[in-house]
Amino acid sequence: MRTPLAVLAILALGAGCARDQPEVFQGYLEGEFVYVASPLGGRLDRLEVARGGQVAVGDPLFTLEDASEAAALRMAEGELRAAEARLEDLRKGSRPSELAALEARLAQARAATELSRLEFDRQRVLHESRVITDRVFDEARTNHERNLRLVDEIDAQLATARLGARSDAINAAEAAVSAAAAARERAAWQVDQKRARAPVGGLVHDTLYRVGEYVAATRPIVVLLPPQAIKVRFFAPEPEAATLAIGAEVRVLLSGRSGPLTARISYVSPRPEFTPPVLYNRDNRSKLVTMIEATLDPADAAGLHPGQPVEVAR
């Protein structure tokens, strides 16, 4: 039979061992899900993934019906081509046949001018010799001046025809091309939004619609869970929470794993809260705790699931 002194020694030894054991905090795994939706509504035509599968960045997820958007894109492409053709036509100037007609008129005017010059020279000699009257001389001079002005007029018309349209008309046509190009980009964007691809790689956590159902705009269709989005959330009593700083490493113990995982504290709640009901027990149900989050290495997080209970130790 042990003496009271021996019993006290055993109790003291047990208390010392208990103090040497690392403190363990209760918690669970939490996931930050990626909800993939389309900004446009429509019938779900194809669902490319299944719940529980894995996807990589860029893998197709789903396709919504896009008949209306595809028709709008074709119309926008046609309007863009028409606007570009109008601009090109304005830059070219008049057609070759119109230029040829002006060139022929200019040649005729120059020939008439040369003939009127010769006639004017003859009439001037006769007028100086007092053979003809002033009236006849004035007619010859006026006819020659009129032919000179006609040559200048046709020459200016030909130069204008070669230049093309006025600068303000060309600027207006360029603006029309820019507007048509923007309309085409918008139509192409709408078509593209009907086909979703994975923005991140990871687990297909859930699919919220079935093929044939109508999906309203911005309603999530596929829920993804990237490995890097799985974090540890645990609760520490106030005195211990003050010693857990952002950046500190902790060990995470999960059932079924032979060894702990390493995580790094990424968030410490600025305010304490009452112990969550899931953690109620006789020892902590009246205590205040602080919620703390820690991130795992993506390689370690692969295969883990939100909701798994964990124990966290320093």
Side-chain angles (χ1 to χ4, degrees), residues 86-157:
R86 285 192 294 270
L87 175 60
E88 187 64 22
D89 182 65
L90 289 174
R91 285 174 173 169
K92 286 179 179 178
S94 298
R95 291 174 292 183
S97 60
E98 294 172 338
L99 294 175
L102 287 174
E103 289 171 351
R105 286 184 58 199
L106 179 60
Q108 291 175 359
R110 285 173 175 169
T113 301
E114 180 64 18
L115 181 61
S116 64
R117 184 187 66 80
L118 295 174
E119 180 65 19
F120 174 62
D121 290 342
R122 287 193 295 267
Q123 297 296 340
R124 181 172 55 190
V125 173
L126 294 174
H127 182 262
E128 292 174 352
S129 302
R130 302 293 181 179
V131 175
I132 61 174
T133 63
D134 291 343
R135 178 176 176 276
V136 174
F137 173 72
D138 290 340
E139 287 179 354
R141 178 174 54 81
T142 303
N143 184 53
H144 179 58
E145 291 177 352
R146 183 172 60 249
N147 288 337
L148 287 174
R149 302 289 81 77
L150 182 60
V151 168
D152 292 341
E153 178 185 354
I154 298 175
D155 192 32
Q157 290 176 355

Side-chain angles (χ1 to χ4, degrees), residues 40-46 63-69 190 194-195 214:
L40 305 176
R43 184 186 65 247
L44 181 60
D45 277 355
R46 290 197 303 275
T63 300
L64 300 178
E65 57 90 14
D66 60 353
S68 176
E69 288 76 14
Q190 289 180 333
K194 290 300 189 78
R195 296 172 174 83
Y214 181 85

Side-chain angles (χ1 to χ4, degrees), residues 185-203:
E185 290 179 4
R186 182 175 183 274
W189 176 84
Q190 289 180 333
V191 170
D192 186 64
Q193 295 306 303
K194 290 300 189 78
R195 296 172 174 83
R197 295 185 176 274
V200 294
L203 172 73

Side-chain angles (χ1 to χ4, degrees), residues 52-89:
Q54 293 285 334
V55 294
V57 176
D59 286 351
L61 297 179
F62 61 83
T63 300
L64 300 178
E65 57 90 14
D66 60 353
S68 176
E69 288 76 14
L73 176 59
R74 291 193 297 270
M75 183 172 65
E77 289 174 341
E79 291 176 350
L80 176 59
R81 289 193 296 268
E84 290 174 339
R86 285 192 294 270
L87 175 60
E88 187 64 22
D89 182 65

